[in-house]
Amino acid sequence: LSAEISSIPPNVIEPFISQPLVIEAEAHENVPRIIATQEDRVYIGQGDTAFVRGITDASVVKWHVFRPGKPLKDPETGNIIGHEAFFLGNAELLQPGEPAVIRIRSAKEEIGRGDRLVPAPPSNIIAYVPHEPTEKISGRIMSIYGGVDEAGRHSVISINRGSAQGLEVGHVVALYRNRVSEGYDDDGRRVSTPIPEERYALAFVFRIFEKVVYALVMESSKPVIVGDAVRNP
């Protein structure tokens, strides 16, 4: 397996390591959110203050600010298992309370009322060692990061399986496609012919949640499409 997958480019995945990527469905409505901004501005940026409802743990000082994105819908069940989190910046707790006072330490995008917060995780150095999953994995690609319809090498994809199914950082999974060929028979009637399933790519799991993982497409012989199958390599 190690001979099949190239080295992991740190510059590609580093932006995704500490930033929130998904808020799982159960926590989506319960995270702290900004209810007012400095001088009632529509948007604020680096150095500005904001007021937040829902910070119950005053010991957490460093926070990430995000905006909920589109729901992640399981292609197999149709259930919403999380929401993508669009990272906006970093904040620091200045004064606990209800509401609490925060200061924006860095802003990637404009921040405003209704944007939400999650605790910033500690900075950990992770050794990425590609290895095959020990459990049987069978899932689907849910989305391609960035909202595009197709992806290629070094794109980030979300998969509708997570730690609950035994996936962990470093697992390598294979992407498969089932295709049906459309055409006409000798009598001019339209027919559909299933084509044997084809393995066309390898992806490297680098971020884990309970029901969702994010993986980096490492090798691909054709475009990656939402809904394609994900299984053991």
Side-chain angles (χ1 to χ4, degrees), residues 115-130:
D115 290 334
R116 308 183 190 191
L117 284 78
V118 291
S123 298
N124 294 324
I125 299 175
I126 303 174
Y128 293 103
V129 180

Side-chain angles (χ1 to χ4, degrees), residues 2-228:
S2 60
E4 287 194 65
I5 192 164
S6 57
S7 60
I8 311 305
N11 62 307
V12 176
I13 60 173
E14 277 174 359
F16 299 98
I17 298 303
S18 61
Q19 297 176 7
L21 290 175
V22 60
I23 302 299
E24 294 182 289
E26 295 79 2
H28 182 251
E29 296 300 327
N30 300 320
V31 295
R33 69 181 66 197
I34 295 174
I35 59 170
T37 59
Q38 178 178 326
E39 300 172 353
D40 288 329
R41 298 178 186 172
V42 177
Y43 292 111
I44 57 175
Q46 183 174 340
D48 294 332
T49 57
F51 304 92
V52 178
R53 182 178 61 206
I55 294 181
T56 57
D57 187 354
S59 67
V60 180
V61 176
K62 296 182 179 180
W63 295 82
H64 285 323
V65 185
F66 73 96
R67 186 168 298 146
K70 67 179 182 180
L72 292 172
K73 185 175 291 188
D74 191 319
E76 298 173 332
T77 65
N79 295 330
I80 294 175
I81 59 178
H83 289 75
E84 287 190 333
F86 185 65
F87 177 72
L88 300 176
N90 299 303
E92 177 185 14
L93 178 65
L94 294 183
Q95 179 180 320
E98 193 64 27
V101 183
I102 64 168
R103 173 169 290 143
I104 306 302
R105 288 302 184 188
S106 65
K108 180 181 177 184
E109 302 285 345
E110 294 178 321
I111 295 169
R113 184 193 299 265
D115 290 334
R116 308 183 190 191
L117 284 78
V118 291
S123 298
N124 294 324
I125 299 175
I126 303 174
Y128 293 103
V129 180
H131 56 289
E132 186 175 356
T134 55
E135 305 289 337
K136 183 178 179 181
I137 302 299
S138 179
R140 296 279 177 181
I141 298 173
M142 285 196 300
S143 68
I144 299 168
Y145 192 82
V148 296
D149 294 328
E150 295 184 354
R153 186 170 182 261
H154 290 177
S155 295
V156 172
I157 59 175
S158 67
I159 300 168
N160 66 333
R161 296 291 183 268
S163 59
Q165 289 75 38
L167 281 170
E168 61 185 42
V169 171
H171 275 161
V172 176
V173 293
L175 309 184
Y176 293 81
R177 179 166 302 152
N178 281 315
R179 188 171 65 85
V180 175
S181 176
E182 303 288 346
Y184 297 88
D185 61 15
D186 294 339
D187 297 324
R189 293 175 298 185
R190 189 175 183 85
V191 294
S192 299
T193 305
I195 303 297
E197 188 176 61
E198 177 187 8
R199 168 180 148 169
Y200 69 91
L202 288 173
F204 179 86
V205 175
F206 68 88
R207 190 81 186 271
I208 298 286
F209 299 90
E210 183 182 1
K211 299 177 182 178
V212 183
V213 300
Y214 280 79
L216 183 71
V217 179
M218 296 301 303
E219 304 291 345
S220 181
S221 61
K222 58 181 59 180
V224 178
I225 298 176
V226 172
D228 282 350

